[in-house]
Amino acid sequence: MDVRSMGNRYLAQLTHTSLARAVHAHILTSGFNPFPLIINRLIDHYCKSSNIPYARHLFDRIPKPDIVATTTLLSAYSAAGNIKLAHQLFNATPLTIRDTVSYNAMITAFSHSHDGHAALQLFIQMKRLGFVPDPFSFSSVIGALSLIADEERHCQQFHCEVLKRGLLSGPSVLNALMSCYVCCASSPLVDTCLLMAAARKLFDEAPRGLRDEPSWTTIIAGYVRNGDLVAARELLDGMTDHIAVAWNAMISGYVHRGYYEAAFDLLRKMHSLGIQLDEYTYTSVISAASNAGLFYIGRQVHAYVLRTVLQPSQHFNLSVNNVLITFYTRFGKLAEAKQVFDRMPVKDLVSWNAILSGYVNARCIEEANSIFREMPERSLLTWTVMISGLAQNGFGEDGLKLFNQMKLGGLEPCDYAYAGAVASCSVLGSLDNGQQLHSQIIRLGHDSSLSVGNALITMYARCGLVEAADTVFVTMPYVDSVSWNAMIAALAQHGHGVKAIQLYEQMLREDILPDRITFLTILSACSHAGLVKEGRHYFDTMRAHYGITPEEDHYSRLIDLLCRAGMFSEAKNVTESMPFEPSAQIWEALLSGCRIHGNTELGIQAAEKLLKLMPQQDGTYISLSNMYATLGQWDEVARVRKLMRERGVKKEPGCSWIEVENMVHVFLVDDAVHPEVHAVYKYLEHLVHEMRKLGYVPDTKYVLHDMESEQKENALSTHSEKLAVVYGIMKIPLGATIRVFKNLRICGDCHSAFKFISKVVDREIIVRDRKRFHHFRNGECSCGNYW
């Protein structure tokens, strides 16, 4: 058989793709030297078989590859998302063999990689070098233009050239131009209505034969995207052919705009007309049920999917199950979410992140940690969710460790990850780490991030630097209601009630509407500063001016405000007028006020109520025991403590900590563990001696045990906050502020002692307890003894 006949035979066999590999093997073993057409067919086969490396191997063996082989390989690189190799191949192609098809392939590659500018530049180069664009050139470059067009003239220039060349008769160019107008209509630099009108004019003037499925979908989705749901629905209702993609776009639009009932109505109509429901339909309606709080409807949709979709594709499974996981976790149904997750035949990163976020949001940190460790791969979102979740649930040290582990793994944190790390510093009260992170944030340009700014406000406030928090707030390029709430809360925690009110009034002047959190912070500010009149006023304006119904936490803040001021009859009236039965937090507010003012009768009543509602809360037993001790009723003290033992309730030990040279030093009450505790006790004796000269007398009423006066004074000297403050004075350079954090409320004697200590050592002392901050300067406290 001659060479030509053999070559033709191979070509005929290569038309059957199933035989391609066998034919290639025969060519190699026979020693036949294939001519270019055969090589091109083989390159095409290997590209379509996703064996691009071998296709490139064949290509590189051709002494002078022609434009067909080049374009085939270039298109394969583009489809695989390897734009770098595609561009290298195109640049290496001699100008003498390039043609319009090769330019089209490269323009399409840039468009698919979302590099609209590169696609446009190549189109301009193509025309400048004398290559004539065809309809495919225009549809490709206009598709790329859709990615970057932000002015009306960008669309109009191509529109004019298309008209001049008479190319609007093809559906691909028409649809690309419509899509360009639609995408550009979303730009803030244009009049959306004008550009949508231009797109609609193209659609209306197109012959009916040109209005295909992409045409209808483009114009309807365009109206949806740009917020004109009425126009979109009119077009949808006027369609003669029911195109599922267009109906899905309409349902999605309703969901995103919050018109959930309209979305469900359209779903029912879609079903009654026999239009095929697909994964896009189901994901939209399940999201609608989730956002609208309609659990039973969402579960019905899930049941319908299980009953009717018998052989779902992998894409269907992933899309629908991922949104179902989010749906169930939003309603706190973790068992159902985990069941959906466990039954998925294939899971992707979205699936893992969805179930992880569900457990984090439900504060199930142990389970979330377990899922995090099991994950086969982790994205930046994965790390960020876990870091933020740890911080929000009080595991600040673990959050910082995870943040550093992410960085060591070579993953560059985003602004949200930095916000999570800063929040971890807030939990720990770690100012040094927080300031280091702030420096990194500025260096990386994340300081303009809203989430980072809000986290920094809270971090500085919780580390005792309310002035630094204010600096962050006033220098943020953009603030939202969260920013205002964080700054008002910062001022409230530090006892600056008047400043908090002034900031709240400024917020209103800047047309920022308060939300329920705003009112919680402003009521707290009034409570900490004793601003009863103002607090009552803001509580009354919630419903009257802003339509916000006060909830339990708002009532508890108001009752706390009244009780702190000793207005127990008014507090009782509020309690009786509430539209619900008093909960634990209401009785806690009453109990706190009774403790301050020594109202033991009402305090004991509140404590007894709390014991029934929350029998495992140690603080209630302690408060009740202390009130009986104040009255000298030691038998009752013994009864309460016996009840506590019988119920297995353990008192949370007093614990205080201070950061010195990037090391956190922890002190317990009666501490005998810290390596320098004996030196601390010795220096404390010296300080007490100096304090007595200024008039300090230990307030032994805070030692609620039946013991001698001298023993009571010794018991006061071992409180954890005293030990931490003294250690700070010993170790932190002169003039620097002492910052101590405590897990419980500061006791009255320690509060008095710190005022004297601040005067003796001429240092500012800041103590953050469970409720608020105390700034001790020159013998005074920022709380004005109102705490």
Side-chain angles (χ1 to χ4, degrees), residues 348-600:
D348 61 5
L349 189 55
V350 176
S351 320
W352 284 96
N353 284 341
I355 196 69
L356 177 69
S357 298
Y359 277 99
V360 166
N361 293 335
R363 297 182 174 273
C364 299
I365 296 301
E366 187 176 339
E367 293 86 345
N369 265 320
S370 177
I371 290 167
F372 182 80
R373 288 191 295 269
E374 289 177 29
M375 292 180 71
E377 60 174 324
R378 298 167 185 157
S379 65
L380 183 56
L381 175 63
T382 311
W383 289 90
T384 303
V385 165
M386 200 65 223
I387 292 165
S388 299
L390 288 167
Q392 289 163 11
N393 288 280
F395 299 96
E397 186 176 354
D398 292 334
L400 277 182
K401 285 179 180 177
L402 201 63
F403 179 78
N404 291 326
Q405 184 184 334
M406 176 180 71
K407 291 180 71 177
L408 288 172
L411 200 58
E412 186 62 39
C414 64
D415 57 333
Y416 293 105
Y418 270 104
V422 170
S424 297
C425 296
S426 299
V427 173
L428 296 171
S430 178
L431 180 61
D432 288 348
N433 279 317
Q435 289 176 324
Q436 288 173 18
L437 285 169
H438 194 177
S439 299
Q440 294 173 32
I441 285 163
I442 292 170
R443 189 176 72 250
L444 295 169
H446 291 318
D447 51 327
S448 60
S449 164
L450 185 60
S451 59
V452 167
N454 292 341
L456 285 169
I457 291 171
T458 302
M459 185 275 292
Y460 279 119
R462 295 194 68 181
C463 289
L465 274 74
V466 70
E467 297 84 2
D470 186 56
T471 300
V472 172
F473 177 74
V474 298
T475 56
M476 285 172 67
Y478 171 75
V479 292
D480 61 2
S481 60
V482 176
S483 318
W484 288 93
N485 291 345
M487 194 62 229
I488 294 169
L491 293 168
Q493 287 174 341
H494 289 266
H496 303 306
V498 174
K499 288 183 179 179
I501 287 174
Q502 289 170 348
L503 188 63
Y504 171 75
E505 295 295 341
Q506 181 186 340
M507 171 184 167
L508 297 183
R509 288 194 297 273
E510 297 193 16
D511 295 326
I512 306 292
L513 287 175
D515 55 24
R516 65 176 307 277
I517 303 299
T518 314
F519 283 104
L520 286 175
T521 58
I522 201 66
L523 287 170
S524 293
C526 293
S527 181
H528 288 312
L531 302 171
V532 177
K533 180 182 175 183
E534 293 84 349
R536 279 178 154 176
H537 165 72
Y538 291 126
F539 184 86
D540 291 339
T541 61
M542 281 183 66
R543 192 195 305 270
H545 292 178
Y546 301 103
I548 300 173
T549 302
E551 297 176 29
E552 280 189 50
D553 43 7
H554 297 103
Y555 277 101
S556 71
R557 297 290 200 285
L558 178 62
I559 290 167
D560 183 63
L561 168 67
L562 295 170
C563 289
R564 282 175 182 272
M567 302 169 68
F568 292 104
S569 61
E570 290 86 345
K572 187 178 180 183
N573 290 337
V574 171
T575 304
E576 291 172 352
S577 68
M578 293 190 308
F580 38 75
E581 287 295 313
S583 65
Q585 58 182 316
I586 302 297
W587 292 114
E588 281 179 322
L590 278 167
L591 179 59
S592 178
C594 293
R595 180 188 57 80
I596 294 168
H597 292 281
N599 188 336
T600 52

Side-chain angles (χ1 to χ4, degrees), residues 117 140 144 148 175 362 495 512 548 711 737 770:
H117 291 287
S140 296
I148 58 173
N175 292 337
I512 306 292
I548 300 173
Q711 290 176 300
T737 300
R770 179 175 279 180

